[in-house]
Each structure stands twice: as C-alpha cells, then as structure tokens.
Amino acid sequence: MRDTGDLIIGSIFVLISASGRFNTPPTNRSSTTALRYYTAWLCYLLVGMALYFGLLTFPPIVEGVSKELGFFTDGAKQLAAVSTAPLIALMLTLLLPKVPLLAEADEWVREHLQLMAAIPYEARRLAADLRRSRYSVSPALQAEVVRRLAAQGFHADDVLFEESPNLRHIWTKISALMIQLEEWEGDRRFGSFLASYEPGFADLKRRWSQLAPKIQLLYSIAPGDAAAGGDRLVHLVQAELAEQSTEMLTDVYNLISRGLLRCGTTYGARITRLASLGFDLRTMTMKPKLTLDHLMTLSLVILGALLPGVTLFYRSSEARIGALINQALMVSVIYCAAVVCAVYPRDHWRFARRGGNNLRPMAFYLTAGLLATLASLAIRFLFQLMLYRSLSDALLHSRLGMPWSLCSFVTAFMVAWMTDDEPTSTIPPERLRLFEALGGAALLALTSPLVVAWLVQVAKVLDPDDTMHQPAPPYYLAMVSATCIGFVIGYLVPTWFRKARQGNALPAEAEMRDQAAPAMA
C-alpha cells in the first residue's frame, strides 16, 4: 500500500507539472480550439506518464542521472531505498530542465504537439477571417454607437456603418465592437477571460479613450471624407490616426478570436457568438472538418449501439455491470480517437493529401491506422487503471484486451480512405453515403471474429487459470456490435468531412468573385 501511494502521489505531481509546462505561456489555451488543445494536452500527459513508468521500470537509469546531477546524496539514497517513485517524480518536475537529454526531448515533444494543435496559428487564422468578413450592426447597436459617439463630441455625419476603407468606418466599427466587448464583462465565461487577458483588454479601452478626442478634433477641423482641403499637415494627421485605428482594430480582432476559442467550446457556440457580434458567417472559412459536436454525437451513437450488447452479455455471463459500462465507454472513446487520427491530420500533413495523378495517399492511411492503434492502447490502459486502481492489474487487463486495437486500425484506415471519396454523376452523394455505411459495417463485421479468436488465444497465454475473469464476447454479439458501429461511422463521418470541406471552399470563392470587379476597376 505504501508503494502504491507513492506511485499515485508521484503520478499526480508529474501530471500537474506536465500540464503547466504545456500551457506555458497561459495564452496557449486561448490560441486554439478546445478539441485541438485538449487532444494535444492529453498526448503530452501520456508521454509524461510513459516516461515516468519507464524510469520506474529501469531504476539504474535514475541512479545514473542522479549521480551526474550530483543529486544522489545520502538523503536521496534513503528516499530511493524506500521507493523510487518520489525520486523519479522529483526528477520529472523540478529537475527536468537540468537533465540535458530529457529537457531537449521534452521541449521537442511539446513543440510538435503544440504545432499539431495549431498553437497559436488557429487564433491568428480566426483573426484573419474576422478581418476579411463583412460586418453589419443591428439597429439597436447602431443607436447605442451613435449615442456613445455623440457623447464624445462626434456628429451624425462622423458615423459610417457601411463598409468602407476610410477612417470614419474604421472608427465606427471599433466603437461598435468595443461596446459589445464591454458587455462581455457581464458574461460569466467571457468576463473571466477578459479578466485573465489583462492588461490587453484594459490597454484597448485606454487606447479607445485616447484616440476618440483626437479623431473628433480632426473631424471638427476637416469634416468629410476628402476633408483635408489640401492641407498637408491635416493629411498627415489623418493618415497617422487611420494607421493607429487600423492597428487597434487588428488588436480587437485578436482579442475576439482568443475569447471565442477560449470560451466557445464548440463550433456552434463560436458561430453563434460571431453572428451576435455582427459578422457575416457566409464570408468566413472557419468551420473545421471535425468539430467537438461531431465527436460528441458520434460517441453517443456508438455508446447507444453498444448498450444492448452490454445488457445481453451481462445476462449471459457473470461479468460485473460496472465493468461492462466502463468497457462500453472505453470503446466509444477509442473509436472516436480512431476517427480523429484519420481526419485531423489531413490539413497539417502534406503526405495526407492526394498527390499527382490523383493517387490515394496510402502511406497516410497506414499512418492513421498506426496512430489509432497506439491511441487505443493508451486509452485502454487508462480506463483499466481507473477501473482496477492497480498498475499491475491494469497492465495485465490491457494486454488481455490488446487484440481490440485491430478494430481501431481498420476504422482509421477505413475513415481515411472514405474521406477521399467524391460523388460522381453515377454515384450521387446520398448513394455514396449508403455505400460507405455498408462498407464500414462489412469491414468491422469481418474484423470482429478475428479479434475474438485472438482474444481467446491471448487469454490462454496470459491467464491460463482464468483468474482475471475477463471472458471474450460471443462471436455473434461482437459481429452485431461491430456491424452497427461500422455502419454509423461510415454513414456519418465521411459526409461530415465533405460538407465541411465544401463549406470552407465555396464562400471564399464567392467572396473573391464578388470583389474581383471592384478591384479591377
């Protein structure tokens, strides 16, 4: 019990330290979507735990590193004699930056996972989308903007809500957005974000209050668009104020993008907030290929397909209902992870897209399958650790269920293949969707008997006396569950991917066509 307690306490310290390093600087969380951030964050924690348990397995490595650092003192020897877990936890928390190889490896892993999570590029991309988007103000907000600007000394002619590149429209847009940002302070989630974003938001309010009298004075001296009247000094002042206002508007966009990514957990929540701010969603390309709403829907559907099988298996065996529900949740998460491995890297890895002669990227299909296999092994181990609360039991049960990773490989390969399918004149979208659903059902139905047979062989080797009481499901039950899951994944995921890709491409092309003629003129 003492060793188990040391192991758990050491794991907690390693996880807390790794989580803090990944979110350094603290703006990392507000630089990308919740799905991308927490996926990369979880991978980083898994790497830290793998390193922790790896060093526990090989104590001589810990002793050698400690001697090189001059840390292996009499007190450390006594600590290591009791348990090596606290010593390794200390090494991976406080001493990690001082261990050359470990520090370099940790930095490399962290940078690549943050790059995978699009930190901070997602916030910059969203800010660029806001900058290109059309912006309109509701009548109620127009009245509030006019009232606030009139209180600062502006006239009605100084307010311009129509799209225009001149200073009047830029300042009107800044005022409208700042008024709405002030309303965010009363919102529980966005208010906490603005409080944590200090001094950024306070600096914006200060610049807004400092620029207002300068611009109002410019308008009073030289009213109108071409108000300079040939005065070169007024022209220079107007150009400088326009530049400062444009920089401030860019900073406002950055603040809004980070606030949406931090507080808008799902894609639906972000676009709802953008629509309320006045941005035209038809001129934006922010929709991801796979959203958190999609994954939640998919996991719930898979869980619903598994529950009847769980009930039947519980009645026909002596398995515990709690363990079976835990297994159903685990299977749902594993299949969602396989889908993420097949879809998410498409926009980030060059070899994940079709090459010359429209050839399919077979290397990526295999890579996605391998990533899904590794993810399934890690997820299975974590669920078994939560269920049995013993490292040895969790490892043994994970090895007993290892053959199920074949289903993850097949699912990721299948989804990666299907997302490259395109409707044709002979196979319209609805028929293609049905074919993909039937193909997914057939593939997993054929895979499940192989997995069950493999489970039986592994159990004979690892648990010949049947002390673990982890029976393999019947062939018919495994086939029915796998068929349902394959049908659901094939029916939903490829179509979601194609719709998101079309939704991202068409508005941008339409926007370019709309702007082509004025730009040429």
Side-chain angles (χ1 to χ4, degrees):
M1 291 181 62
R2 183 179 61 190
D3 292 342
T4 303
D6 292 342
L7 180 66
I8 293 175
I9 293 174
S11 301
I12 292 174
F13 283 130
V14 170
L15 290 175
I16 293 175
S17 176
S19 179
R21 288 196 305 273
F22 189 78
N23 196 33
T24 302
T27 54
N28 281 350
R29 171 59 192 92
S30 59
S31 299
T32 189
T33 61
L35 177 61
R36 287 178 172 177
Y37 177 84
Y38 285 112
T39 300
W41 172 80
L42 180 60
C43 292
Y44 185 68
L45 294 187
L46 290 176
V47 170
M49 293 306 297
L51 181 60
Y52 177 62
F53 288 117
L55 292 176
L56 276 175
T57 308
F58 301 99
I61 298 179
V62 182
E63 183 178 348
V65 173
S66 300
K67 287 181 178 179
E68 288 294 330
L69 294 173
F71 179 70
F72 209 78
T73 60
D74 293 337
K77 290 180 180 179
Q78 295 176 2
L79 182 63
V82 176
S83 175
T84 56
L87 182 62
I88 296 175
L90 182 64
M91 181 182 297
L92 294 181
T93 52
L94 300 179
L95 300 180
L96 182 62
K98 298 182 180 180
V99 182
L101 293 179
L102 290 181
E104 293 174 4
D106 175 76
E107 184 179 0
W108 184 87
V109 171
R110 187 170 66 253
E111 289 179 353
H112 280 73
L113 286 175
Q114 289 176 350
L115 182 63
M116 182 188 75
I119 298 174
Y121 306 107
E122 184 65 18
R124 297 174 183 174
R125 187 193 63 81
L126 180 54
D129 273 350
L130 297 180
R131 189 163 52 249
R132 291 191 298 264
S133 172
R134 296 191 184 98
Y135 181 72
S136 59
V137 182
S138 64
L141 182 58
Q142 288 185 13
E144 178 64 18
V145 171
V146 171
R147 186 190 68 80
R148 294 283 293 270
L149 292 181
Q152 295 174 348
F154 290 89
H155 300 293
D157 295 339
D158 299 333
V159 183
L160 180 62
F161 292 102
E162 291 77 17
E163 289 285 342
S164 174
N166 63 38
L167 179 59
R168 289 195 302 159
H169 174 68
I170 294 175
W171 185 248
T172 302
K173 182 186 289 187
I174 290 175
S175 301
L177 291 174
M178 288 299 296
I179 290 172
Q180 295 181 89
L181 286 179
E182 287 181 346
E183 295 177 355
W184 276 15
E185 293 182 287
D187 187 279
R188 180 178 62 85
R189 300 185 64 187
F190 285 94
S192 62
F193 162 73
L194 292 177
S196 65
Y197 201 74
E198 297 291 351
F201 184 51
D203 181 65
L204 282 178
K205 291 193 291 186
R206 179 186 58 80
R207 291 161 61 187
W208 185 38
S209 61
Q210 289 179 350
L211 277 176
K214 298 178 182 178
I215 295 177
Q216 189 274 330
L217 179 61
L218 174 67
Y219 289 165
S220 63
I221 295 176
D225 290 336
D231 193 325
R232 183 179 178 185
L233 178 60
V234 175
H235 272 297
L236 291 175
V237 172
Q238 186 175 14
E240 182 178 355
L241 291 176
E243 182 180 358
Q244 294 179 14
S245 300
T246 302
E247 292 178 356
M248 182 178 176
L249 182 60
T250 301
D251 293 338
V252 171
Y253 287 150
N254 291 331
L255 175 64
I256 292 175
S257 66
R258 289 182 177 274
L260 291 173
L261 293 172
R262 178 64 180 268
C263 305
T265 307
T266 64
Y267 169 71
R270 290 193 292 273
I271 63 172
T272 300
R273 183 66 65 166
L274 280 176
S276 67
L277 289 174
F279 292 98
D280 188 353
L281 302 179
R282 295 172 299 176
T283 59
M284 302 183 68
T285 60
M286 63 170 290
K287 187 172 184 179
K289 301 296 190 302
L290 197 65
T291 66
L292 187 59
D293 291 325
H294 288 151
L295 288 179
M296 293 174 65
T297 302
L298 182 63
S299 63
L300 290 176
V301 173
I302 293 175
L303 189 60
L306 289 172
L307 288 180
V310 167
T311 305
L312 292 175
F313 189 53
Y314 171 67
R315 291 179 177 179
S316 62
S317 67
E318 298 179 355
R320 294 180 299 165
I321 186 64
L324 291 177
I325 293 177
N326 179 76
Q327 293 292 104
L329 289 172
M330 179 186 66
V331 170
S332 176
V333 173
I334 286 175
Y335 276 110
C336 289
V339 170
V340 169
C341 292
V343 173
Y344 176 73
R346 304 304 295 252
D347 294 334
H348 303 275
W349 294 347
R350 187 173 301 175
F351 77 99
R353 295 183 286 271
R354 286 179 179 262
N357 299 324
N358 207 25
L359 294 176
R360 288 183 177 269
M362 298 300 298
F364 169 70
Y365 299 164
L366 294 173
T367 303
L370 293 175
L371 288 176
T373 301
L374 295 176
S376 69
L377 293 174
I379 294 171
R380 182 174 299 277
F381 171 74
L382 290 178
F383 270 86
Q384 301 295 351
L385 188 60
M386 288 188 296
L387 180 62
Y388 296 102
R389 300 179 183 178
S390 172
L391 180 60
S392 59
D393 290 344
L395 288 173
L396 181 55
H397 282 83
S398 298
R399 293 176 64 188
L400 288 171
M402 186 176 59
W404 285 112
S405 300
L406 181 60
C407 289
S408 298
F409 180 89
V410 173
T411 300
F413 190 97
M414 171 188 74
V415 172
W417 180 284
M418 290 179 178
T419 50
D420 279 332
D421 294 337
E422 292 292 344
T424 61
S425 57
T426 57
I427 305 179
E430 291 302 322
R431 185 178 298 179
L432 177 61
R433 187 175 197 177
L434 181 60
F435 287 163
E436 288 172 341
L438 294 176
L443 279 175
L444 287 184
L446 294 174
T447 305
S448 58
L450 299 176
V451 172
V452 174
W454 193 3
L455 285 171
V456 174
Q457 292 182 358
V458 171
K460 290 180 180 179
V461 175
L462 297 179
D463 189 23
D465 300 329
D466 194 22
T467 57
M468 293 292 105
H469 303 292
Q470 188 172 343
Y475 283 95
Y476 75 90
L477 190 58
M479 287 189 65
V480 171
S481 299
T483 301
C484 295
I485 293 173
F487 185 89
V488 166
I489 293 176
Y491 187 80
L492 295 177
V493 176
T495 302
W496 286 342
F497 183 86
R498 285 191 291 269
K499 286 183 177 180
R501 184 169 54 191
Q502 293 171 0
N504 283 346
L506 294 179
E509 294 172 359
E511 177 74 4
M512 291 176 64
R513 289 195 298 267
D514 294 341
Q515 295 180 356
M520 292 294 291

